[in-house]
Amino acid sequence: MTRPPTLFALAAAALVAATVAVAAPVMATGEDADPEYTITVDESAAGTAIDDTMYGVFFEDINYAADGGLYAELVRNRSFEFLPADNRSFTGMTAWTPSAEHGGAGTAAVVDDDARLNERNRTYLKLDLANPDTGRYGVTNSGYNTGVALTAGARYDFSVWARTNAAAGTPLVVTLHDAAGEVLSRALSLTVNGDTWTKYTGTLRATRTTDQGRLSVRAGGAGTLRLDMVSLFPQDTFLGRKNGLRKDLAEKIAALKPGFVRFPGGCLVNTGSMYGYDAASNFPRARSYQWKDTVGPVETRATNANFWGYNQSYGIGYFEYFQFSEDIGAMPLPVVPALVTGCGQNRATNDEALLQRHIQDTLDLIEFANGPVTSTWGKLRADMGHPEPFGLTHVGVGNEENLPDQFFANFLKFRAAIEARYPDITVVSNSGPDDTGTTFDRLWQLNRDANVDMVDEHYYNSPTWFLQNNARYDAYDRNGPKVFLGEYASQDNKLFNSLAEAAYMTGLERNADVVKMASYAPLLANIDHVQWRPDLIWYDNDESWGTTSYQVQKLFMNNVGDRTVPTKATGPGMAPKPITGRIGLSTWRTSATYDDVRVTAPDGTVLFSDDFSAGAGNWSPVANRGTWAVTDGAYTQSDTAAEDTLVAAADITVSDYDYSLKAKKNAGAEGFLVGFGVKDSGNFYWWNLGGWNNTQGAVEKATNGAKEILLAKPNAVTTGTTYDIRIQVRGTKVTLFLDGQEWGSFVDDRVIQPFAQVVTRDDATGELIVKVVNAQDKPAETRIDLGGIRVHDEARMTVITGDPGEQNTRSAEPIQPITTTVDGVSSAFTRTFEPNSVTFLRIRTK
């Protein structure tokens, strides 16, 4: 593969002296009089205790993470509930095809009528049979991805709910076969009797391993046969549980040894209707995740239009979530809706009765988790197979709300009710969708003023951002709310992204008195159904693989330690450069018109100007998207479906300049984007006005294709209004003006720190755990001084390293940890850390 430039390669000439947070002791390979980096244990400082819940996982049903993922069900659309409301391509017969054998005949249709299985399971399959004596007619399911995944010799539990109007009953034959019809199991024969819904079960044994299997259910005779909840489960689920989890995926999650599991979202929590799935609300299809929809027998659970564009069966519901958390020794952390939508919807539900219902639902959730079997919801938990309490201690309210005051007013009502009934429960608030901006600042102010226990922060940024912000939590108030970093990731799945995350994690551990929990996100992604990337674990219907970030997360999560050992470190960083490059114009699902573009020096000297009277010859496409043309003396992008239509002109090489223009939105979902410092399609800045469905404005910085937000605030653009825009650049400081008024400013001057470290102590083993990250293309020679700590001269060393552009895939997983035993350790020694590496050393103390 072509190796992309890393930060060191891009900025090697910009090295400046800087103090870096680094891991203490590392293995010696020889002395050097003048090593570039130093790590010194600070014997005078007290360490910080690290909670067992420091690292966990966040499970959200995105990227087919539940159905077609962690949930072991092999039948897709088992309840015939798929509808265009879930996805425009869906029908009740999605993944099903009518099929016949031996001259069988009939018709198959998905219907919604009073003969349904129950009120919340509203559609079913109706087969009108007209078979000759030996004929059979029915349907075939194609499963997920390439088909139903089967393992030779493995047993699979089949079940179906059925009813028939045939007086003598209806014979049913169930078979496994491949796409060509070759049989993969002995047929299962059942007889459906009576015109009331009854569950029928049986077992199939696969005769061959394949990932392209099919399940056929065919009936003989005549009459009307109704089917629902057609299910095929491997018996070999995680821990052998019924209605269980796919074993390889659950085992990969368990191998992380997570301290907590956050569930169910994410945008699933705070989007869609907040009303119930009932007749009174007209069975709203796209709803927030409401826990009572997800418990009880699976055939009685509601279905939903998942925010991420597909159907959600709730086969994995709250009971399964609590059970899985318990099975892997993790603390459950459920998140409930606060009745203020986010994720681009940004609506507050003004219905006090509905708010009180959701508050009561949250109290009922705690009772379901912890209540005695004599309580209403504790009894349901016991009836589902778990009479013992699950031991719930934390509940999150809301997710990434962009309306801070409306959200927080509701949050306070939730917290008051929970504290009154369950004073030992920690109620977790949040700080919105970004790591900075007016929403972030306002929510943090509200959280501090209300003495909130814990605040959930979320951000997805470029590797550069993570290497620039290792010290983010150093300045947080030690007496204020604790931080739950509920979602974070560097925006790709390459090793370099993982190195940046690892460097950042050393800062999280160093600040473990403030950052109490952290989870990479998202957790899972089906390779054929991706709505978001990067992701930690990838899979298809029969294989799974951990990304480079999975390997790094696993290394950290399996080697946390009980307390930090304070260290001081020195070494060079990489200085920021002035913001130079081309200027740009862009749109995102919007038609917009631009005119009177000018770039001037501070003294007024014109560096570039274009009023488009001579056409658009100065401009060239960067993204190669959209439809650009000069119309009526202005430059217009007219395609309202196109995203990221960046065009650029005029390479600005001076460090101080002013970029001005006029912009107008003509039509579409969002506003417009004005680029500056444009190097190429993956490296630029742009001012996004009317973004996120015309609700937010922001400055975004792209580095090698990964974006981070430098400034954000609520903002909307009015269609047909012409705006005067000016961007004032002074080196690394940028000030933004909208219609002559200052809109905001930022300084992009953080030093990139490619070398990071933290040292912790494992009380059980008496070991120091030295964690060093070297996220650059050159080795890092390091002098380590352990002060007065006496250590053995031998240690266990684990290293993750490789080409920074490499990634783990279905066909190859080249990035793996390598563990060796090394000697030469002492109280003071020098070691050279490999380029682009994470190194953990477990050093025994005396």
Side-chain angles (χ1 to χ4, degrees):
M1 74 167 39
T2 301
R3 178 170 171 159
T6 63
L7 288 174
F8 180 76
L10 291 171
L15 287 175
V16 295
T19 298
V20 195
V22 201
V26 221
M27 308 298 317
T29 57
E31 294 295 325
D32 191 300
D34 234 344
E36 198 168 24
Y37 297 93
T38 67
I39 302 170
T40 305
V41 168
D42 184 358
E43 297 179 77
S44 65
T48 296
I50 305 174
D51 292 350
D52 292 340
T53 55
M54 179 71 202
Y55 296 120
V57 294
F58 166 44
F59 178 82
E60 178 176 17
D61 190 357
I62 184 175
N63 306 319
Y64 280 49
D67 302 325
L70 185 60
Y71 190 43
E73 174 64 75
L74 296 173
V75 177
R76 188 179 184 205
N77 189 19
R78 67 181 178 186
S79 193
F80 308 97
E81 296 285 340
F82 281 30
L83 291 176
D86 307 323
N87 185 293
R88 283 179 293 180
S89 69
F90 285 1
T91 71
M93 289 293 287
T94 293
W96 294 96
T97 54
S99 62
E101 59 182 353
H102 308 309
T107 60
V110 174
V111 297
D112 177 359
D113 63 21
D114 291 342
R116 65 179 66 91
L117 180 59
N118 59 64
E119 278 299 295
R120 293 163 72 77
N121 193 336
R122 300 190 60 75
T123 57
Y124 64 90
L125 179 69
K126 181 181 179 183
L127 295 175
D128 287 315
L129 305 172
N131 290 305
D133 289 343
T134 60
R136 288 194 288 266
Y137 180 83
V139 287
T140 297
N141 190 268
S142 58
Y144 291 92
N145 300 85
T146 56
V148 176
L150 302 170
T151 301
R155 295 183 179 275
Y156 298 85
D157 290 331
F158 172 82
S159 64
V160 63
W161 286 80
R163 60 189 290 187
T164 180
N165 68 358
T170 299
L172 204 61
V173 176
V174 182
T175 57
L176 293 171
H177 55 88
D178 63 16
E182 182 180 341
V183 173
L184 298 174
S185 72
R186 179 178 295 178
L188 170 67
S189 297
L190 302 167
T191 301
V192 178
N193 289 300
D195 205 8
T196 57
W197 287 104
T198 304
K199 185 176 183 181
Y200 297 86
T201 63
T203 301
L204 295 162
R205 180 179 175 274
T207 57
R208 179 162 62 86
T209 297
T210 181
D211 61 1
Q212 299 181 49
R214 300 291 188 268
L215 173 73
S216 286
V217 182
R218 301 185 182 105
T224 297
L225 176 69
R226 293 175 169 88
L227 302 178
D228 207 345
M229 295 298 292
V230 182
S231 174
L232 186 71
F233 256 90
Q235 290 186 351
D236 190 21
T237 60
F238 181 64
L239 301 184
R241 295 198 178 280
K242 298 290 186 182
N243 195 53
L245 306 181
R246 180 172 151 176
K247 189 174 182 179
D248 63 324
L249 294 179
E251 286 179 342
K252 279 187 169 59
I253 297 169
L256 293 169
K257 299 182 180 178
F260 66 87
V261 181
R262 177 175 175 247
F263 174 93
C267 290
L268 298 189
V269 167
N270 69 333
T271 54
S273 170
M274 300 293 168
Y275 290 89
Y277 193 60
D278 51 40
S281 304
N282 198 29
F283 295 99
R285 190 65 169 192
R287 306 179 310 286
S288 62
Y289 197 108
Q290 300 176 42
W291 79 269
K292 290 180 181 178
D293 285 347
T294 76
V295 294
V298 291
E299 68 271 11
T300 67
R301 299 181 188 181
T303 189
N304 200 17
N306 185 305
F307 173 80
W308 299 106
Y310 54 92
N311 179 272
Q312 192 171 14
S313 76
Y314 291 145
I316 294 182
Y318 260 82
F319 180 83
E320 291 77 20
Y321 156 62
F322 282 137
Q323 183 68 76
F324 181 52
S325 299
E326 181 180 87
D327 285 344
I328 63 176
M331 179 191 82
L333 203 169
V335 183
V336 299
L339 273 72
V340 177
T341 61
C343 301
Q345 295 183 356
N346 301 341
R347 301 187 308 270
T349 301
N350 186 21
D351 185 331
E352 184 63 26
L354 182 62
L355 174 62
Q356 291 303 317
R357 193 268 282 175
H358 276 267
I359 291 173
Q360 184 59 51
D361 281 354
T362 304
L363 299 176
D364 293 344
L365 172 61
I366 299 170
E367 183 180 284
F368 176 73
N370 294 349
V373 297
T374 54
S375 65
T376 300
W377 296 103
K379 181 180 184 302
L380 176 60
R381 181 192 70 242
D383 291 345
M384 294 183 72
H386 200 287
E388 301 83 8
F390 281 115
L392 180 66
T393 59
H394 290 63
V395 173
V397 176
N399 171 77
E400 296 187 6
E401 284 76 18
N402 261 319
L403 303 174
D405 291 277
Q406 293 94 322
F407 158 72
F408 205 73
N410 287 0
F411 172 83
L412 291 176
K413 294 178 181 179
F414 276 88
R415 186 179 70 165
I418 295 169
E419 288 182 343
R421 180 81 173 273
Y422 300 104
D424 293 334
I425 295 290
T426 297
V427 186
V428 182
S429 180
N430 74 79
S431 60
D434 301 313
D435 60 274
T436 188
T438 57
T439 297
F440 178 87
D441 293 340
R442 177 60 176 160
L443 278 169
W444 259 108
Q445 177 190 339
L446 292 167
N447 285 306
R448 281 191 297 267
D449 292 347
N451 295 314
V452 168
D453 289 331
M454 184 174 287
V455 176
D456 185 5
E457 292 190 354
H458 296 176
Y459 38 83
Y460 299 89
N461 288 317
S462 70
T464 304
W465 185 94
F466 285 98
L467 294 174
Q468 289 175 321
N469 285 276
N470 181 276
R472 174 180 175 88
Y473 294 107
D474 289 4
Y476 270 51
D477 183 0
R478 273 35 212 172
N479 298 313
K482 302 305 180 185
V483 173
F484 168 32
L485 180 50
E487 298 181 32
Y488 75 97
S490 171
Q491 294 166 325
D492 207 336
N493 270 144
K494 297 181 174 65
L495 175 59
F496 187 61
N497 300 88
S498 309
L499 296 174
E501 292 155 3
Y504 193 71
M505 293 169 79
T506 68
L508 301 182
E509 291 188 12
R510 193 177 63 251
N511 288 282
D513 57 330
V514 169
V515 183
K516 307 305 285 185
M517 299 187 294
S519 50
Y520 180 104
L523 177 62
L524 296 171
N526 184 315
I527 195 169
D528 293 332
H529 303 282
V530 181
Q531 294 85 46
W532 185 284
R533 64 182 71 220
D535 305 284
L536 202 62
I537 300 168
W538 289 74
Y539 53 91
D540 54 22
N541 56 345
D542 68 335
E543 295 180 277
S544 59
W545 55 98
T547 61
T548 60
S549 290
Y550 174 84
Q551 298 301 339
V552 165
Q553 292 286 326
K554 183 179 177 182
L555 184 61
F556 271 86
M557 293 167 77
N558 281 261
N559 296 276
V560 179
D562 299 291
R563 178 173 292 275
T564 62
V565 178
T567 56
K568 294 179 181 178
T570 61
M574 301 175 190
K577 294 181 178 180
I579 299 171
T580 61
R582 291 181 290 170
I583 58 171
L585 307 171
S586 189
T587 60
W588 195 286
R589 289 190 285 126
T590 303
S591 168
T593 296
Y594 300 95
D595 204 357
D596 297 336
V597 177
R598 286 170 60 87
V599 181
T600 59
D603 64 3
T605 302
V606 176
L607 305 176
F608 174 80
S609 67
D610 197 342
D611 63 3
F612 302 102
S613 58
N618 293 319
W619 299 83
S620 60
V622 176
N624 288 306
R625 286 183 287 271
T627 303
W628 289 93
V630 174
T631 57
D632 299 325
Y635 202 23
T636 296
Q637 195 293 114
S638 57
D639 185 348
T640 57
E643 298 179 348
D644 185 8
T645 63
L646 185 62
V647 295
D651 190 12
I652 307 301
T653 59
V654 299
S655 61
D656 296 354
Y657 56 93
D658 292 276
Y659 170 27
S660 63
L661 68 150
K662 297 183 184 298
K664 180 179 67 173
K665 171 183 175 178
N666 303 316
E670 304 211 353
F672 34 77
L673 304 109
V674 181
F676 55 102
V678 177
K679 304 295 186 183
D680 53 46
S681 62
N683 295 275
F684 58 85
Y685 298 77
W686 66 24
W687 184 6
N688 185 348
L689 287 162
W692 292 270
N693 289 323
N694 205 23
T695 63
Q696 295 286 307
V699 175
E700 296 176 277
K701 176 184 178 181
T703 305
N704 293 332
K707 294 190 185 74
E708 64 190 81
I709 292 176
L710 302 179
L711 173 67
K713 60 194 294 187
N715 166 258
V717 168
T718 302
T719 301
T721 297
T722 298
Y723 294 87
D724 288 315
I725 293 171
R726 181 163 66 94
I727 300 172
Q728 177 183 286
V729 180
R730 298 294 183 268
T732 58
K733 181 178 180 180
V734 177
T735 307
L736 309 159
F737 297 89
L738 185 63
D739 289 336
Q741 302 296 312
E742 183 173 331
W743 188 87
S745 65
F746 67 91
V747 180
D748 188 17
D749 65 351
R750 290 185 181 271
V751 173
I752 296 169
Q753 305 285 16
F755 185 77
Q757 63 81 33
V758 70
V759 180
T760 65
R761 185 185 295 273
D762 186 327
D763 290 340
T765 65
E767 293 173 310
L768 296 178
I769 310 174
V770 179
K771 311 171 188 183
V772 179
V773 181
N774 184 27
Q776 55 187 334
D777 283 345
K778 67 170 188 174
E781 188 177 20
T782 307
R783 178 69 176 171
I784 299 130
D785 184 352
L786 300 181
I789 300 177
R790 299 176 61 228
V791 298
H792 291 268
D793 65 354
E794 190 175 82
R796 182 159 50 95
M797 180 174 71
T798 302
V799 179
I800 296 174
T801 189
D803 187 318
E806 190 61 90
Q807 55 187 321
N808 291 345
T809 66
R810 176 165 45 188
S811 58
E813 298 179 63
I815 305 301
Q816 299 288 332
I818 297 176
T819 299
T820 57
T821 299
V822 293
D823 56 19
V825 181
S826 64
S827 294
F829 59 96
T830 298
R831 179 160 187 87
T832 300
F833 293 97
E834 293 185 53
N836 302 300
S837 66
V838 181
T839 302
F840 275 39
L841 295 128
R842 296 193 70 109
I843 303 173
R844 292 178 299 141
T845 59
K846 294 182 178 179

